[in-house]
Amino acid sequence: MPYAVVSALSHPGLVRDRNEDSLVAGPWTLCATVTDNPQTLVFPLGTPLVVAVADGLGGHPGGHVASALVARRIAAAGPGLDGEDAVRDAVDECNRALHAAGGGAGGEYATMGTTVAGVVLRPGSLLVFNVGDSRVYAAGRDGLRLLSVDDRPPPDSAWGGTHLVTQCLGGGAAYRPVRAHVTARPLSAGDRCLMCTDGLTDPLPDDVIDGVMREHDDGRAAFELWKAAVTAGGPDNITLAVVRVADE
């Protein structure tokens, strides 16, 4: 039976006072807390397996609440994510739940929000999804390839080069619908992918991430990526999951 090895890590970095990132791997969640070392979990590939990261919006109250809410709801929905429509529906439900939990205008967490990016693994196929600027990469023999879509202003726009996102889950007192990016691709033994928040990708160029992924697997890859981001200044929360598909 094919199986997936998931190695995950979440850390506040060197600048932020609080970790507002969360993570889900199957039924396991790590919500707005810290791992001292990468955690490695092994899952059989039968029913859909979801692995995702969520980055609570900085500058908004309740970012840690928002990312945790989304991680837990995605974990609960995971076994039923059997197609692109099911993934979009789950992301839409997370967005509605965030707005409801915020309490509307005047609520303590009325503008809390989060990004989300992840994969759903099934035998022979992979669903990639995201809203915001957290990312999913394929890490294969031909190098690192971005599978998600950044919801950020174009680099040459007046707002380029900032940490603004053009869409997220929650993020405002009034409900705003989102359009999740969801794509399907084949999946086979030996495939690897990386999910991460922008605390990894902002300080590290893709060629550095590619070099680490080429050299290391599983927990060592997760550790070396975190180490590289911290060495580069660790300006934001760093959350990542390295997924490797194998066969017995």
Side-chain angles (χ1 to χ4, degrees):
M1 173 181 285
Y3 62 93
V5 180
V6 181
S7 297
L9 182 151
S10 188
H11 190 272
L14 300 181
V15 175
R16 304 292 189 186
D17 294 330
R18 169 187 283 171
N19 188 9
E20 296 191 320
D21 290 355
S22 295
L23 181 144
V24 52
W28 183 74
T29 57
L30 186 68
C31 295
T33 187
V34 179
T35 50
D36 293 326
N37 295 289
Q39 306 295 305
T40 297
L41 306 168
V42 179
F43 299 95
L45 286 184
T47 56
L49 172 69
V50 63
V51 184
V53 297
D55 180 356
L57 294 186
H60 293 236
H64 61 297
V65 176
S67 70
L69 184 153
V70 168
R72 291 177 177 130
R73 291 185 75 93
I74 291 288
L81 300 180
D82 55 1
E84 295 181 41
D85 288 343
V87 172
R88 289 191 181 92
D89 289 346
V91 172
D92 287 343
E93 286 301 315
C94 286
N95 188 38
R96 294 181 184 278
L98 274 182
H99 283 287
E108 180 183 3
Y109 294 145
T111 62
M112 69 176 176
T114 184
T115 69
V116 67
V119 297
V120 180
L121 300 98
R122 302 172 297 173
S125 68
L126 178 73
L127 295 171
V128 180
F129 66 94
N130 82 286
V131 173
D133 60 356
S134 292
R135 289 182 172 180
V136 179
Y137 291 94
R141 295 178 181 176
D142 55 348
L144 197 70
R145 186 154 62 94
L146 183 63
L147 301 181
S148 55
V149 178
D150 281 349
D151 286 318
R152 279 186 171 181
D156 57 351
S157 76
W159 299 103
T162 75
H163 291 285
L164 292 176
V165 291
T166 53
Q167 69 167 351
C168 64
L169 303 182
Y175 170 77
R176 291 179 295 184
V178 295
R179 184 174 182 178
H181 307 283
V182 185
T183 57
R185 54 180 279 121
L187 182 70
S188 57
D191 286 351
R192 292 193 305 156
C193 53
L194 165 69
M195 281 126 278
C196 55
T197 60
D198 64 358
L200 184 76
T201 54
D202 280 349
L204 297 183
D206 281 1
D207 63 330
V208 172
I209 297 173
D210 182 38
V212 172
M213 293 297 291
R214 286 179 183 272
E215 186 173 354
H216 302 290
D217 275 337
D218 303 341
R220 184 58 186 271
F223 174 80
E224 293 295 339
L225 288 170
W226 166 81
K227 180 180 175 183
V230 168
T231 300
D236 202 352
N237 303 155
I238 306 160
T239 299
L240 62 102
V242 176
V243 179
R244 176 173 58 88
V245 177
D247 209 341
E248 58 182 17

